[in-house]
Amino acid sequence: MMWSNFFIQEEERRRADTARRRARRTGPARERRGPIKLALLLAGMGTALAVLAVGTEFWVELGTKRGNGTSGVCEAAHLGLWRVCAKKLWLEDLPPNRETCGPAELPGEANCSYFRFFTSGENNRILQRTTKKELGVAAAVTATLALVITVLGCICVIMVLSKGAEFLLTHAAIFFSLSGVLLLVSLELFRRGVRELLARTGPGPAPWLGYEYSWSVACALAAAALLLLGGGSFLLLALPSRTWGMCCHQQPGDRGGGGAGAT
């Protein structure tokens, strides 16, 4: 009788080990897949907004005073991390209550170029002002690094959902949080570059310029917030994994046994 009980217990243990290995291969438990997918949705939205922000050139809009235009034309410009567009707009197209030339989305004669402010000399002049090359390069490199790290975070989450490698949740949390921080650093570097642009003038007199940050900056800020939120969510999902496993695999007889032991 004792040997039969021993063999039965061994068989049950082997079945339990097989079930656990199968669960690891098929991914996390069902009760955790929902929160993981929700956190991935937040991080995915942040990634999409980050790509949109980095790829567009409407980070800041520059414009001369409305009265500076000659022959019914005024000068404006808009730039991002990679591209700058100088435009000549018709005064009659400007909103009546606007003091500066713009907005830059208005139709006009445009002269756009890539990587213009990464160079030196006359090529980095924008509306008779010179850019600081170091800040422009640093902001672009930081934003690109943020996108690369975000892709690594997405790969980690896909591995968690498909292969059950739940230890990668911690890596995903680090990647998404770091990418959000790097986007904020890129925004700060770009802001300093704009301040330097307004303060630096060429050999001749430079016109007064007004500036305003545009929708690409709003996308970058929203992307950083979503990535940080997604990284924090993955961190919460990674930290209590053992506790969740104990609660989910607790047998119904455990409570009774605990109560009997207490008495």
Side-chain angles (χ1 to χ4, degrees):
M1 187 68 178
M2 181 180 64
W3 286 106
S4 63
N5 291 335
F6 174 77
F7 286 123
I8 291 174
Q9 291 177 359
E10 285 294 321
E11 183 65 24
E12 290 178 352
R13 186 166 57 186
R14 282 195 296 269
R15 289 179 180 177
D17 292 339
T18 303
R20 280 195 294 269
R21 287 194 297 268
R22 191 173 299 168
R24 291 189 188 129
R25 288 195 300 267
T26 56
R30 290 183 179 179
E31 61 272 9
R32 301 197 63 194
R33 293 180 71 90
I36 290 174
K37 290 181 179 180
L38 180 59
L40 179 60
L41 177 62
L42 291 175
M45 292 172 59
T47 302
L49 287 175
V51 172
L52 178 63
V54 173
T56 53
E57 67 272 11
F58 288 93
W59 283 54
V60 68
E61 296 184 6
L62 307 171
T64 58
K65 281 188 176 180
R66 187 189 186 102
N68 287 349
T70 57
S71 302
V73 176
C74 64
E75 292 183 323
H78 58 91
L79 65 148
L81 296 176
W82 315 101
R83 191 173 186 232
V84 57
C85 289
K87 301 187 72 173
K88 292 183 178 180
L89 306 178
W90 295 101
L91 292 176
E92 60 184 16
D93 294 335
L94 270 60
N97 57 347
R98 187 181 178 94
E99 296 182 358
T100 59
C101 187
E105 291 88 352
L106 292 175
E109 182 182 347
N111 181 17
C112 300
S113 61
Y114 287 92
F115 310 109
R116 180 175 179 178
F117 33 82
F118 293 165
T119 59
S120 58
E122 293 295 325
N123 292 328
N124 66 344
R125 298 286 298 278
I126 300 175
L127 297 180
Q128 302 182 31
R129 280 175 164 78
T130 56
T131 61
K132 192 169 184 179
K133 180 178 65 175
E134 294 80 4
L135 289 174
V137 173
V141 170
T142 305
T144 304
L145 184 59
L147 292 182
V148 173
I149 294 176
T150 303
V151 173
L152 293 178
C154 293
I155 294 175
C156 288
V157 180
I158 292 174
M159 292 293 291
V160 170
L161 294 174
S162 61
K163 302 298 183 180
E166 295 194 40
F167 67 94
L168 291 177
L169 286 175
T170 305
H171 297 73
I174 295 174
F175 286 145
F176 286 126
S177 300
L178 182 58
S179 62
V181 172
L182 287 177
L183 271 180
L184 293 177
V185 172
S186 178
L187 284 167
E188 175 61 20
L189 290 172
F190 184 83
R191 186 190 69 85
R192 293 188 180 184
V194 172
R195 302 292 292 182
E196 288 287 337
L197 174 66
L198 296 175
R200 295 159 68 95
T201 59
W208 178 91
L209 289 181
Y211 73 98
E212 59 180 353
Y213 296 103
S214 192
W215 58 269
S216 294
V217 169
C219 288
L221 286 172
L226 288 173
L227 288 171
L228 289 173
L229 184 59
S233 301
F234 283 119
L235 184 61
L236 291 177
L237 289 169
L239 288 178
S241 57
R242 293 184 179 179
T243 305
W244 286 11
M246 292 173 61
C247 294
C248 294
H249 293 89
Q250 185 179 11
Q251 298 296 330
D254 292 344
R255 296 183 181 179
T263 55

